Each structure stands twice: as C-alpha cells, then as structure tokens.
Amino acid sequence: MPDPAPRGNILPLDTAPGHNRRRAETAAWLLMAEELRYERGGRCLLDGISFALSPSGITALLGPNGAGKSLLLRLLGGLIRPDSGRIRFDPAFDGSTGMVFQKPVLLRRSVRANLDHALRIARIPRRQRTGRIAELLVMADLTHCAESPARALSGGEQQRLTMARALVNKPRLLLLDEPTASLDPAATAGFEALTREIARMGTKIMLVTHDLHQARRIADDVIFIHKGRIHEQGPTTAFFAAPRSPEARAYCAGTLIT
Amino acid sequence: MPDPAPRGNILPLDTAPGHNRRRAETAAWLLMAEELRYERGGRCLLDGISFALSPSGITALLGPNGAGKSLLLRLLGGLIRPDSGRIRFDPAFDGSTGMVFQKPVLLRRSVRANLDHALRIARIPRRQRTGRIAELLVMADLTHCAESPARALSGGEQQRLTMARALVNKPRLLLLDEPTASLDPAATAGFEALTREIARMGTKIMLVTHDLHQARRIADDVIFIHKGRIHEQGPTTAFFAAPRSPEARAYCAGTLIT
Amino acid sequence: MLDGQIIEIVALSLRVSVFAVILAALIGVPLGALLAVGRFPGRNLATMTINALMGLPPVVVGLGLYLLLSRSGPLGILQLLYTPTAMIIAQMILVTPIIASFSQQVLSDLHAEYDEMLRAMKATRLQVMGTLIRDARHALVTAFLAGLGRALSEIGAVMIVGGNINHATRVMTTAIALETSKGNLRLAVSLGLILLGLAFVINIALVVLRTRLERQAHA
Amino acid sequence: MLDGQIIEIVALSLRVSVFAVILAALIGVPLGALLAVGRFPGRNLATMTINALMGLPPVVVGLGLYLLLSRSGPLGILQLLYTPTAMIIAQMILVTPIIASFSQQVLSDLHAEYDEMLRAMKATRLQVMGTLIRDARHALVTAFLAGLGRALSEIGAVMIVGGNINHATRVMTTAIALETSKGNLRLAVSLGLILLGLAFVINIALVVLRTRLERQAHA
Amino acid sequence: QSTTSTQNSGLYEYLLPLLEQDTGLRVKVVAVGTGQALKNARNCDGDVLLVHAREAEEAFVANEYGLKRHDVMYNDFVLIGPASDPARVRGAGSATEALRRIAAARVPFVSRGDDSGTHRKEISLWKTAGLDPAAGRESWYRETGSGMGATLNIAAGMGAYTLTDRATWISFGNKAGLEILHEGDPALFNQYGVIAVNPARCPGMNTKGAQTFITWLLSPRGQKAIAAYRLNGQQLFFPNAKGKTAKGE
Ligand SMILES: Nc1ncnc2c1ncn2[C@@H]1O[C@H](COP(=O)(O)OP(=O)(O)OP(=O)(O)O)[C@@H](O)[C@H]1O
Ligand SMILES: Nc1ncnc2c1ncn2[C@@H]1O[C@H](COP(=O)(O)OP(=O)(O)OP(=O)(O)O)[C@@H](O)[C@H]1O
Ligand SMILES: [Mg+2]
Ligand SMILES: [Mg+2]
C-alpha cells in the first residue's frame, strides 16, 4: 500500500555522511589520475587514463560493458595497483572512502551483523553502534529483515545493504558501481535523492551506471570510457546535449558495439 | 567505433532455440501455478500464488524489491519446493527449461569451458559442441574473451554469458531474472531483439525486470507481485495504461514502499 | 586385567588429546589465517613448510622432545618427561600443521571472496583474519576433527615422551600397543574399537555444533 | 650401517605412501563428493562415521589387517602379510577418511554456490560431483598433502602388517623406530629429518601444481 | 620367516649372510616381543621362532603349535642404573639383594611390563626377593609397557634402574650416564630357544626351510658363528645347543 509518509531511504539529516565536514575549498581536484595503465592476461584493460576528479558533486562514469569502469573504480579505491601511472590525492583528503561493488559481497551473517561489523572496523564505539545501525536500516529500508542472513536477501535488498554499509564511516569519497542495477523504481528514486543529499553535504561521489536517465538526472559531470580509454569528459548537460566522440554518441543511442 | 554490420548479439536464425519446434496449440497454458506458498525463517515469502502461464510470448514478472520474484522463478524452475500448492505443466511440455539467475553463477573455468560444460550436460555430442560454442560466443558478443576465466569478466559480460548458457539446450521455457540489470544500452537492445526472436520461434519467456520501459517494449503480459502475493495480471498494454491495484500504480510511479 | 584401569586410560587419552587439539587450534588457526591473508615474502615457503610438517613423523617429534626434556637435555630441569604435559606438547606439535594447513585452505577460499570488500573498508590484517575465521568457523570444525583424530590415534610420540607408564602416562594407543606386544590381539582390537567409539561420540557432539554454526551462517 | 640401504628404504616409503594416497584419493574424493552433494537418509551418520574414522588408530588397522591376512586368517591364502601390498592397504585405510572428510568440507562449500545453477541445467548427481571435483581440484591438493603426510609418518600399521623386514618391508618410520629402540637417537632423528625433507620436496612439487591449477581456475 | 627379539643386537645382520652362504636359505626377520611372536606363530605367521621365555615356549610345543624346542644359546641379564648409584646397588651380593636395595631406597626403577621374557625374568627376581612392587602401585616402580630399547631410553631419560639383556645393552646407543651396576649372578642367565612351527597346523608353511634353518643354527658351524659374533669387542651370545648347558639357570 502506498504510504504517504516520506520514504525510508531518504537519509535523515543527522545521519548524512560528511555532514560535519566543510567542503575542501583549496584544491581544484580531490584526486588526479595520471596515465593509468592496467594490463591483465595479456590484454591492456585500461590505458592512458588521465583525469582530475572535481572535489564535489556527482561524477558519472559511463561506458559499455567491459569498458573498464569497474577496474577504474577499484584502482581509485586502492584495491588494485596500476601497472604504470599514479593517482594523486588532494593533501587535505582524509582518505575516507566508501565503496559499493557491482556484485554485492556480504558476510555470512545477519543484516544487522554485517552493519555492525563495518561499524566496528570503522572504529565506531560500541555505544553508538546500535543507534547507527537502526538509522542505517531505516535508510536502506531493511528494518523488517535486520535479523535475516544477509546472503538470503533479495538482489535489491542486498544492494541496498551494501550501500548502507558504504556509508558507515561517512566517507569523503564514495565510489558506486551500478548501485541501482537491481533496485526497483521507488528504491532507485530514493537512492537518487540520497546521493544528491550526500553530495550536497560535501561527499564526492563517483557513480558507474548504465541508466542514462539516471546519469542525466543526478550527475554533475560525466567521464565516458570505451575499451579502456577515456573518450570524453565534461559537464552532464553538454555531454548529453551533443556527445562529441562518435563512440559516446553511439553508446547513448544504444548502438555501440563493444 | 560504431559498426554498420548487424550487432553480434542478434541471434542468427539457425541457432535460435526451439526453432524446429511447433507451437503447442493444444493447451491454453504451459504451466499452471496453484496456490503456491513458500515460507522461510518464519516469514511467509510467497502466498496464494495462482496463475496460468500462456504457452507463448513474453510474460514480465514485476514487483518491488523483495516481492518474491526470484523465489517464484526458482519455484517454477523446480529449484525449490513450495510448502503447499503445486505447479502443473502442459503434458506436451518436454521439461526443457533455461534459467538466468539474478546473480551470475559461473564455473571457475574459462568462458569457453563454461559453455562447453553446459553443452555436455545437455548431452550435445562433442562434434557439434565446437560449432555451437562459436555461435553462442558470437551471440553473447564474447568471442574476444572466450579464453578468459569466466569469473574475471565484467558484470555485463558475465550476464551475457549466463544468458548464452541458458540457451544451450534450446529450451521451451526460459526463466530470466533481471537479465539486463548490468547490460549497457546496446546490449540491452540486443537482448530485447533476441528475446523477441526466441519468443517468436516458440519459446515461452518469463522475464523479471525493474525496467518498466523494457517490460512495456517486449512483454506480452504482466504479472505484478507485491509482498509475496499477486496483485494484478493482464496484458501489458492494459497494465501500463491503467494499473488497477493501488500497489501497481504506486510501483509504476516509483513511489511504492516495500 | 584392564577392566579396572580402562576408565583411567580413556580419561587420560581424552584429556591429553583434547588439550593438545585446543592448543594446536589456538596456534594453527591464526597461522593458517595469516598464510591465507598475508602477502609477505616467504609466504609460499612457509605454506610449504607447514604442509610438509603434516608429514612430521611422530617418532621424530617424540625423540626431539625427549632429547630436549630428558634429564641431561637443555630443558631437563622442568622434569616434564614422562608426564601428560609432555604428551600434550608432542601431540600439539603434530596436530598444529594439520589444523594450520586446513585452515589456510578454507580461509584462502573465503579470502578470495572477502578480500576486496574488507580492504575497501580499510580493515587491518588482524581484522581481516578475524572476519575470515568467524565466517568459516563451521568449516574449521572439520580441521579440528582431523586434528583430534590424529591426536587420539597417535602413538609414536606419546610412547616416547610419555613412556606408557602404568597409572601415569598410559593412554589408549600405548595400551593397545602393549596388549599387541603381549600377543593379546583381540583385547588390543577391542581397545581400538573403544577408542573409535570415543572418536565417534566426540564427532556427534562436534557435528551437532557445526550444524548449528552452519545454520547460523546460512553458508 | 644405513648409508647403503637408505635409498632402498626411502624408495619403499615413497612407493608405499604415494600408492596408498592415490588409492585413498580415488575412494575418498568421490565419497566426499557424494556426502557433499547427496541428500539421502543416513548421510549425516555417514559423515560422522568418516570423521570419526580419522581417529582410527593405526595399530588397530594393522591388527585388523593382520588378523585378516594372517595365514590362518580368512584372506591368508593371498599371502599378503609382510609385503608392501599389505602396507599400502593399511595406509590407504588410514588415509581415506582424511581425504574424504576434507573433500566433503571443500566440496560442500562449492556446492552451496553451484547447486542451483547445476540443477537448473538438469545435471545428474554424477555430473554435479564431477563438476565440483574439477573446480575444487586445487583445494583438494591440500587434502592429498594431509593424506600423504599421514601416510609417510605413519608407523603403527606398517610395523604390524609389514613387519619392518630388512630389504623387504622396512620403511623410514619403521627404520626410525628400530634405531630408536637401539638407542641410536641421533641417527633416528636424522632419518626423521630426511623423511621430512622428502615430504618437503613432494610439497614443493604439489604446491607448484596447485598454483598452476589455481591460476587456471582464477578462483 | 622367523620371529624374535634379538634384532637390536645386530646378530641377524651378521648371521644371516653366513647362513645364506652355507645353505642358500633366505630368511626374513620379523622382530617382535616374545609374547607377540608366540601369538603370531599360532596364527601360522612365521616358520621358525627364536625366543627366550622357556615356560611359554614349552607350553607352545606342548599345545602342538610347534614341533620341538631346541636350546640355541644364552646370554645374560644385567642390572643397570645411573653411575651415581643412589641405591648403592654396586657391591650387592646377588641380583635379589640389588633389587631389595632399590626398593628400600625407593629410587626409580623401570620395568618393561610387557610380558616379555625379560619382564618375566624381572618378575621372578622380585618374587625371589620377596617383593611385589607392581601390586602396590609404588610410585618409584614404573611399568613402561614397551620394548627393551624404549625402556632403556626411558631409564636414560629419567635416570632409573632397569633390567636388560646384555646384548641389547652393549649395542644400545643412548647410554646417557647409565652403566652396569650388577651382573654375573647365575639367576640372570637368559636362554634362547628355537622352535619350528608345526606344519600339521599350518599347511603351506616352509617346513623344509625351517628345518634347514634350525639344523644350521644348531650345527657346529652355526654355533661357532654365534660365538664369533662380537659387538664393541664383546661376545654377546654363548652357544649352548644340544642341551649341553640346557639348564641356563
Ligand atoms: N583479472 C582479469 N583477467 C582478465 N581480464 C579481466 C580481468 N579483470 C577484468 N578483465 C576484463 O577487463 C574488462 C573490463 O572489466 P570491467 O569489469 O572493468 O568492465 P566494466 O566496464 O565494469 O563492465 P560492466 O559494465 O559490464 O560492468 C573486461 O573485458 C573484463 O573481461
Ligand atoms: N532463505 C531465506 N531466508 C529468509 N528470507 C529469505 C530467504 N530467501 C529469500 N528471502 C526473502 O524473501 C523475500 C523475497 O526474495 P526474492 O529474492 O524473491 O525477492 P525479489 O522479488 O527477487 O527482489 P529483487 O527485486 O530485490 O530481486 C526477500 O525479502 C528475502 O529477504
Ligand atoms: Mg562493471
Ligand atoms: Mg530477485
């Protein structure tokens, strides 16, 4: 039944990550990728990737399947190392990063225990954890299955849980890999509202998505990659109004062959 | 670079599953679910599910996250057993079913070996397998990474591989759980063309999706479930023109709270 | 002859082996986790060493300890030779590689799944190890069972460092060997079957435990 | 005294144990797979029995075989007592439960992942087992190593059914025991270290193999 | 096949090549305790027994498991203990006197406790001394339930007294401060016998080989070979075939 009350997964203000953090005013970028190159199994999966990530707002990372978006996100998150090139961070950046993987990886524990575990690793004192978990459960709309084993959740529920988990440490940088791929329309809308709110509070978000409408709705700027190379980057409106590269044009039209 | 040639993942006619099978003309349904009920962990996850699945065409299974869509698909595929109720099949149905899970499960082997394994289990003789694999690789647009370990593929590539795998035995019934969630726009278009073609050849398709545009584009009829119960079912056009139940209306509007 | 003593012998067997397995688990599981998680130089060598140590002959362990603990040995003043403590140490040495190897294998597989997720959370290596051990705990029970089986059935080491001394360090296996050497083969086999029954009872207990753990984990 | 014979003894040790482990793997891995995959009545009991059998005392296995194979025993006409064949059988009996238990654990975990996918393909139970074994093969290597460790270091059973006969059934462990009983402790320990070195070499070989398998599998 | 407990002394490695040279017979040795040897032979596992527990051997023959028992050789037992000799066993007039001193001083004594020939000898010595330490659960009296070598290792490990046959002792490598403290008492003699297993009860056994082995062992050549065997310059076994010194005690 439709409920007139506000949706659960719109984040209450006081739980918004980074809400007590001022925007980094000094540097013009939060991180700077310089000529990143990543090879595996003899194939060059990323090559000559250079860009500066603006210190605030939402950047959409677009590109066809197998373009290297997930790899790039893992490079930025420090989970894999480039074969050459480097990533420089704004010295003022505290390193706090939240990450949502494309495939949800959850502990073999209950939903609550998954969140508790993440909070413990983020060194949140025990007294605060219970309250935080309750907030996060409301935000991810998972209160009704808090005690279920996390791996028995539905696909969309799992994705919402990994999103909540990425926010436990109120990160300065949020790397999201297709976080709404399995979400229903309402949850997607909730997610978009949430990310806009988080971004407004000063968290930089990098979002991989194949939902071009979504990118258009919430992204401030776009990076488009294809076959491991950046083909275009710029403000969202400009990108969608008239993609300059033929690849980006074909991608948006749904006719790009990988 | 955009390629003028037809997209790889439009299935060549002679590889289309079920192409040599006449439509079942006799029964008015392929399968009939009768009062299915499934409980787990004290929660009633599916309840009073009754419907007849038409013998041809594409049926979209819609509903919010956690509604029970994936569970229902697994019930229909015979992977889990209902706590009560039963599923009857058209006696003319040969039982051949293809399934794409929401989360791709792939063997720890190469892409090619994954397909070969499925073909072997489907009892395809060795001589025919090589050719079939080549066809399926073209269809799924994975020829370039046939020898890569399947679990190293990108999310979208994995999803395309599981789709190809589900087609090895040219099934009469195809159960697809959000098969385009991670696909890029072009692959999604390819998928839609493919499923329409397969359906035309006589394979019944049941498709779970959160992409309402997609459902509208390719589904012949819709089953809408919410909290484990069927709230509405009927032809696609009627459903989208004016959903009768308030839940379905809210779902389509993106405001349904699960 | 053994009817009266059998309880005493069974009790000592149990006490020594269970203790040894607990100690071995306390060392072996973290060691296995470290090898599963760590990316340090010499890790492969360490893994191979631990695997090879599963082939450590009990007699050699017994002898090594004997040379250490004997009156004239470096640790002779501890007076541990021919005490249950020495037997526990010997079995612990034998069981630790088994538990460590097994743990390493099980935890490696889980680590392949959890690694990036945990690193993205900036978990310390210790936290990673703890998480893996917790989530694989039902699989680790098999390692403990293997270790316990080895400890309970082991004879070479306890014979040398325990001495099979009547009323002091005689356990099931050494009692079996004694009856065998006396030619009382049927009695020896009966004792063996009692030992096996014991192992079975412990297994039931642990499998019940594991089933609970599995249910908790919903693997 | 042993310098000349050592190669002979080492070779026999290797031959007996490797053979025993191969046979045990041929039985234990499918058995473990069956227990991991099957949902038949008595499965839990079978699992517990196999786990308990890891605690089968070697001396008891030796005695049981002895009673069977002895000239007056039911299988006496086979004339197997005091031959390497008897030793292989004894070690196989000891190693099979270890490999089966271990396999069951490893394959169960993989089965939890593959089960629905394979059933959706309508794979037969045999095909499911085959798929699991293939995809977990690198993890099974650890089971083989554990089994080999047990076989190489085992003494209680081979002593009884082999008889430690010079130039015929003397293996490393029985040679070590002999030297120990002669009081040649240092020599015994040296032999033990040779045995350990052997286990180490085998491990290097198998770990290299496993690394290859892992790389193939990209777990 | 033959079964015995004299392997540790290295006698076989010396004797068997000579035997093979003379008769072409190849012998496989399975070394176990006397008790187990007799049991094994009852199961027809083995053709010839070379053991040292006279009464049990005679019972074995009387029960028709074996054909005939022949004396082959003897050696003797010695009482060993720590060189410091806390019980002042050195200088005891007899073996029983030595044991009494040990009991009085309550110093550790390890007994094989395995029903072996040596163990039986030790029990009979305690009996003669009028003591029964095994019954009283005396803490200084330790039953090891293992072979001679293992028992000697235990004695060495804790600095205890024990009774051993001379052959094992001479060849034993882990003396660790132990030495012979009492020897020479005729009560300490140790007679070895050889018995062929009864072919009537064990079809398929190598009767001819067994007979050849026994004949050679009892022949002058065999007896001389036994006498000639030396370890560390000491004669270990004293041949006494054909009942010449059949009464070992
Ligand atoms: N370990 C690896 N070995 C070989 N190839 C790899 C490996 N990891 C990734 N790849 C390949 O790198 C390419 C890029 O992968 P990535 O996951 O970054 O794609 P993506 O842009 O995220 O695609 P998708 O939209 O489908 O998620 C893919 O073609 C994939 O097959
Ligand atoms: N084994 C289980 N134990 C407890 N709850 C379960 C179990 N399996 C599924 N559920 C619950 O059943 C509900 C329905 O799950 P299902 O996967 O069918 O949802 P869905 O409709 O496919 O959702 P989504 O769109 O997110 O994929 C969810 O709330 C899930 O948490
Ligand atoms: Mg991706
Ligand atoms: Mg689902």
Side-chain angles (χ1 to χ4, degrees):
Chain A
M1 286 124 282
D3 193 318
R7 261 197 67 88
N9 48 5
I10 289 178
L11 192 74
L13 263 192
D14 62 324
T15 68
H19 70 282
N20 49 4
R21 204 182 284 126
R22 286 180 310 111
R23 287 202 187 184
E25 319 272 356
T26 45
W29 40 265
L30 180 63
L31 70 80
M32 181 93 91
E34 292 176 352
E35 289 293 327
L36 298 180
R37 185 186 164 83
Y38 186 79
E39 291 185 39
R40 205 66 189 272
R43 285 169 60 201
C44 186
L45 304 174
L46 287 174
D47 195 14
I49 298 281
S50 300
F51 64 92
L53 204 62
S54 62
S56 65
I58 300 179
T59 300
L61 181 58
L62 303 180
N65 291 139
K69 304 180 295 297
S70 300
L71 283 178
L72 181 53
L73 231 50
R74 284 156 70 213
L75 278 172
L76 299 182
L79 299 177
I80 53 178
R81 227 173 273 213
D83 292 319
S84 68
R86 60 171 187 154
I87 300 168
R88 285 198 293 148
F89 290 94
D90 173 5
F93 177 45
D94 62 358
S96 66
T97 308
M99 190 140 188
V100 169
F101 293 95
Q102 189 166 4
K103 226 184 197 179
V105 181
L106 293 166
L107 299 180
R108 287 156 174 75
R109 308 183 189 182
S110 71
V111 170
R112 180 186 303 283
N114 264 275
L115 292 174
D116 189 61
H117 177 263
L119 285 163
R120 233 175 15 226
I121 286 182
R123 294 205 168 60
I124 311 292
R126 178 185 295 273
R127 312 168 275 105
Q128 294 172 31
R129 272 187 252 149
T130 325
R132 253 327 254 149
I133 291 173
E135 286 171 13
L136 290 164
L137 285 173
V138 168
M139 189 202 81
D141 197 12
L142 290 172
T143 314
H144 62 288
C145 50
E147 311 307 332
S148 297
R151 290 154 57 95
L153 292 185
S154 83
E157 289 164 344
Q158 290 195 9
Q159 207 156 31
R160 295 203 304 252
L161 177 54
T162 57
M163 180 70 188
R165 191 177 57 186
L167 296 177
V168 293
N169 63 341
K170 305 188 178 179
R172 171 75 180 88
L173 172 65
L174 202 49
L175 303 170
L176 306 176
D177 201 348
E178 306 192 24
T180 60
S182 316
L183 296 192
D184 65 38
T188 304
F191 166 85
E192 291 176 8
L194 172 65
T195 44
R196 265 193 298 244
E197 176 70 8
I198 294 173
R200 208 177 52 75
M201 294 296 183
T203 293
K204 172 70 199 177
I205 298 177
M206 188 150 187
L207 170 77
V208 175
T209 184
H210 287 302
D211 184 342
L212 300 182
H213 301 289
Q214 179 172 75
R216 212 190 284 237
R217 280 194 297 268
I218 62 170
D220 299 304
D221 56 343
V222 167
I223 297 177
F224 174 80
I225 66 174
H226 180 44
K227 293 195 174 164
R229 294 185 153 277
I230 293 185
H231 282 251
E232 194 158 344
Q233 75 185 106
T236 310
T237 41
F239 178 82
F240 284 108
R244 272 167 295 147
S245 66
E247 291 82 4
R249 243 191 328 268
Y251 175 74
C252 294
T255 59
L256 182 64
I257 299 176
T258 50
Chain B
M1 286 123 281
D3 193 318
R7 260 198 65 89
N9 48 10
I10 289 177
L11 192 73
L13 262 192
D14 62 323
T15 68
H19 70 282
N20 49 4
R21 204 182 282 126
R22 286 180 311 110
R23 289 203 184 185
E25 318 273 354
T26 46
W29 40 265
L30 180 64
L31 69 79
M32 178 93 92
E34 294 177 349
E35 289 293 328
L36 298 180
R37 185 186 165 84
Y38 187 80
E39 291 184 39
R40 205 65 189 271
R43 283 169 61 203
C44 185
L45 304 175
L46 288 174
D47 195 14
I49 299 281
S50 300
F51 64 92
L53 204 61
S54 62
S56 65
I58 300 179
T59 299
L61 180 58
L62 303 180
N65 291 140
K69 303 180 296 297
S70 300
L71 284 177
L72 181 53
L73 231 51
R74 284 157 70 214
L75 276 172
L76 298 183
L79 299 177
I80 53 178
R81 225 172 274 209
D83 291 318
S84 69
R86 60 172 186 155
I87 299 168
R88 285 198 293 149
F89 290 94
D90 174 6
F93 176 45
D94 63 357
S96 67
T97 309
M99 191 140 186
V100 168
F101 293 96
Q102 188 165 4
K103 226 184 197 179
V105 180
L106 293 166
L107 298 180
R108 287 155 174 76
R109 309 183 188 182
S110 72
V111 170
R112 179 187 303 284
N114 264 275
L115 292 174
D116 189 62
H117 177 263
L119 285 163
R120 232 175 19 227
I121 286 183
R123 292 203 169 61
I124 311 293
R126 179 185 296 271
R127 320 167 267 105
Q128 293 172 32
R129 271 187 252 150
T130 325
R132 229 19 224 130
I133 290 173
E135 285 170 13
L136 289 165
L137 285 173
V138 168
M139 190 202 80
D141 197 12
L142 291 172
T143 315
H144 63 287
C145 50
E147 311 308 331
S148 297
R151 289 155 56 94
L153 293 185
S154 83
E157 289 164 343
Q158 290 195 7
Q159 207 154 33
R160 297 203 304 251
L161 177 55
T162 57
M163 178 72 187
R165 191 176 59 184
L167 296 177
V168 292
N169 62 341
K170 305 187 178 180
R172 171 75 182 87
L173 173 65
L174 201 50
L175 302 170
L176 306 177
D177 201 349
E178 306 191 24
T180 59
S182 316
L183 296 192
D184 65 37
T188 303
F191 165 85
E192 291 176 7
L194 172 66
T195 44
R196 264 193 299 242
E197 176 70 9
I198 293 174
R200 208 177 52 75
M201 294 295 181
T203 293
K204 172 69 198 176
I205 297 178
M206 188 148 186
L207 170 77
V208 175
T209 183
H210 288 300
D211 184 341
L212 301 181
H213 301 290
Q214 179 174 74
R216 211 191 286 238
R217 279 193 298 268
I218 63 170
D220 299 303
D221 56 343
V222 166
I223 296 177
F224 174 78
I225 67 174
H226 180 44
K227 293 194 174 163
R229 295 184 152 277
I230 294 186
H231 281 252
E232 193 159 346
Q233 77 184 105
T236 310
T237 41
F239 179 83
F240 283 108
R244 273 167 295 146
S245 66
E247 292 82 4
R249 247 195 319 274
Y251 175 73
C252 294
T255 58
L256 183 64
I257 299 175
T258 51
Chain C
M1 152 250 171
L2 271 156
D3 296 348
Q5 302 179 17
I6 196 124
I7 307 229
E8 177 187 343
I9 294 178
V10 167
L12 185 64
S13 274
L14 260 185
R15 184 157 69 92
V16 167
S17 295
V18 168
F19 233 106
V21 170
I22 290 175
L23 291 178
L26 290 178
I27 302 171
V29 172
L31 189 60
L34 191 67
L35 291 174
V37 167
R39 293 279 170 276
F40 47 88
R43 175 174 158 271
N44 269 346
L45 193 73
T47 305
M48 282 189 255
T49 307
I50 292 225
N51 284 339
L53 285 177
M54 289 196 289
L56 196 59
V59 181
V60 172
V61 172
L63 282 179
L65 270 184
Y66 171 88
L67 292 175
L68 269 182
L69 299 179
S70 125
R71 235 180 355 136
S72 51
L75 299 180
I77 40 163
L78 296 181
Q79 301 246 11
L80 287 179
L81 205 57
Y82 310 120
T83 65
T85 310
M87 299 159 81
I88 291 174
I89 296 174
Q91 293 199 338
M92 185 197 73
I93 294 174
L94 286 170
V95 170
T96 301
I98 296 175
I99 293 187
S101 264
F102 206 111
S103 305
Q104 197 232 352
Q105 185 56 55
V106 166
L107 298 175
S108 288
D109 290 350
L110 196 61
H111 187 237
E113 185 186 334
Y114 282 4
D115 178 32
E116 293 205 334
M117 181 254 293
L118 292 172
R119 282 199 291 132
M121 290 181 184
K122 306 239 181 339
T124 64
R125 183 172 296 185
L126 221 62
Q127 287 171 324
V128 172
M129 285 165 51
T131 305
L132 292 176
I133 292 172
R134 230 206 99 144
D135 277 23
R137 60 199 185 283
H138 68 277
L140 293 179
V141 171
T142 304
F144 302 155
L145 287 177
L148 190 67
R150 173 76 177 246
L152 274 178
S153 67
E154 191 280 319
I155 173 161
V158 290
M159 183 64 113
I160 294 177
V161 301
N164 187 25
I165 294 169
N166 207 355
H167 305 304
T169 57
R170 182 162 299 169
V171 288
M172 289 300 279
T173 51
T174 56
I176 292 170
L178 174 58
E179 293 309 321
T180 304
S181 77
K182 285 189 194 167
N184 300 332
L185 303 195
R186 308 269 162 188
L187 176 54
V189 170
S190 315
L191 286 176
L193 295 182
I194 292 177
L195 183 51
L196 205 58
L198 202 69
F200 197 79
V201 169
I202 297 176
N203 262 275
I204 293 178
L206 279 179
V207 168
V208 167
L209 173 75
R210 176 167 58 177
T211 314
R212 285 225 186 118
L213 293 178
E214 255 166 15
R215 216 166 273 153
Q216 262 181 43
H218 314 262
Chain D
M1 148 250 170
L2 272 154
D3 295 349
Q5 304 177 16
I6 196 123
I7 307 229
E8 178 187 342
I9 294 178
V10 167
L12 185 66
S13 275
L14 258 186
R15 184 156 68 91
V16 167
S17 295
V18 167
F19 234 107
V21 170
I22 290 174
L23 291 178
L26 290 178
I27 302 171
V29 172
L31 189 60
L34 191 68
L35 291 174
V37 167
R39 293 281 170 275
F40 47 87
R43 177 174 157 270
N44 269 345
L45 192 74
T47 305
M48 280 189 255
T49 307
I50 292 224
N51 284 340
L53 285 177
M54 289 195 290
L56 197 59
V59 180
V60 172
V61 172
L63 283 178
L65 266 185
Y66 169 84
L67 293 174
L68 269 183
L69 298 179
S70 134
R71 259 195 239 170
S72 56
L75 300 180
I77 41 164
L78 297 181
Q79 300 244 13
L80 287 178
L81 203 59
Y82 307 127
T83 65
T85 309
M87 300 159 81
I88 290 173
I89 297 173
Q91 292 198 340
M92 184 198 74
I93 293 174
L94 287 170
V95 171
T96 301
I98 297 174
I99 292 187
S101 263
F102 207 111
S103 304
Q104 197 231 351
Q105 184 57 55
V106 166
L107 298 175
S108 288
D109 290 350
L110 196 60
H111 186 238
E113 186 186 333
Y114 281 4
D115 178 33
E116 293 206 334
M117 181 254 291
L118 292 171
R119 281 199 292 132
M121 290 181 184
K122 305 240 182 334
T124 64
R125 184 172 297 183
L126 221 62
Q127 287 172 324
V128 172
M129 284 165 53
T131 307
L132 292 177
I133 291 171
R134 230 206 98 145
D135 277 25
R137 59 199 186 283
H138 69 276
L140 293 179
V141 171
T142 304
F144 303 155
L145 287 176
L148 191 67
R150 173 75 176 246
L152 274 178
S153 66
E154 191 281 318
I155 173 163
V158 290
M159 183 63 112
I160 294 177
V161 301
N164 190 23
I165 298 170
N166 208 355
H167 303 305
T169 58
R170 180 163 300 166
V171 289
M172 288 301 279
T173 52
T174 54
I176 292 170
L178 176 60
E179 292 308 322
T180 303
S181 75
K182 286 190 196 169
N184 298 332
L185 305 194
R186 308 272 162 186
L187 178 52
V189 170
S190 315
L191 286 175
L193 296 182
I194 292 178
L195 183 52
L196 205 58
L198 202 68
F200 197 79
V201 169
I202 296 176
N203 262 276
I204 293 178
L206 279 180
V207 167
V208 167
L209 174 75
R210 176 167 58 177
T211 314
R212 284 223 189 122
L213 292 178
E214 253 167 18
R215 217 166 273 152
Q216 262 180 44
H218 315 262
Chain E
Q1 291 188 349
S2 168
T3 311
T4 180
S5 64
T6 49
Q7 181 164 34
N8 289 359
S9 62
L11 177 64
Y12 286 119
E13 279 144 46
Y14 166 79
L15 223 48
L16 294 182
L18 294 177
L19 169 70
E20 193 174 340
Q21 202 182 323
D22 285 1
T23 66
L25 191 67
R26 296 195 60 144
V27 178
K28 288 182 177 174
V29 182
V30 174
V32 292
T34 296
Q36 193 181 354
L38 292 171
K39 267 287 191 332
N40 283 356
R42 279 194 196 199
N43 293 334
C44 305
D45 298 313
D47 301 324
V48 179
L49 287 167
L50 184 60
V51 288
H52 58 112
R54 182 156 203 148
E55 284 158 34
E57 291 166 37
E58 279 165 356
F60 184 80
V61 172
N63 289 329
E64 298 187 344
Y65 290 110
L67 286 180
K68 186 171 176 344
R69 181 186 174 284
H70 307 273
D71 282 340
V72 178
M73 59 193 183
Y74 71 91
N75 67 352
D76 63 341
F77 291 106
V78 293
L79 189 63
I80 58 150
S84 57
D85 191 16
R88 291 181 307 100
V89 164
R90 246 189 286 259
S94 69
T96 45
E97 169 62 17
L99 289 184
R100 272 194 213 103
R101 289 186 185 184
I102 289 170
R106 307 184 61 78
V107 291
F109 180 93
V110 288
S111 158
R112 285 182 58 176
D114 64 349
D115 255 2
S116 60
T118 309
H119 182 220
R120 288 175 191 191
K121 169 70 75 179
E122 179 214 318
I123 297 281
S124 77
L125 287 174
W126 284 112
K127 217 187 245 163
T128 320
L131 294 162
D132 188 6
R137 285 201 173 204
E138 302 277 3
S139 66
W140 55 269
Y141 183 82
R142 304 294 192 104
E143 286 184 58
T144 67
S146 33
M148 196 68 252
T151 303
L152 283 175
N153 279 327
I154 291 170
M158 42 188 214
Y161 291 83
T162 195
L163 186 73
T164 172
D165 61 286
R166 188 186 294 274
T168 305
W169 174 249
I170 290 176
S171 59
F172 190 68
N174 179 34
K175 296 199 173 72
L178 299 181
E179 51 185 55
I180 296 178
L181 298 177
H182 186 84
E183 60 186 326
D185 186 330
L188 293 177
F189 284 178
N190 179 29
Q191 179 64 48
Y192 284 83
V194 65
I195 309 175
V197 174
N198 188 352
R201 299 188 72 117
C202 293
M205 67 160 286
N206 186 352
T207 320
K208 232 180 96 209
Q211 218 45 63
T212 315
F213 177 72
I214 293 174
T215 312
W216 183 83
L217 211 56
L218 303 179
S219 74
R221 263 191 78 80
Q223 293 279 302
K224 233 168 71 200
I226 291 172
Y229 179 60
R230 286 213 165 18
L231 192 72
N232 302 341
Q234 303 189 49
Q235 179 176 351
L236 292 185
F237 296 97
F238 302 88
N240 63 346
K242 305 229 167 66
K244 275 178 214 155
T245 40
K247 293 204 179 357
E249 290 106 305

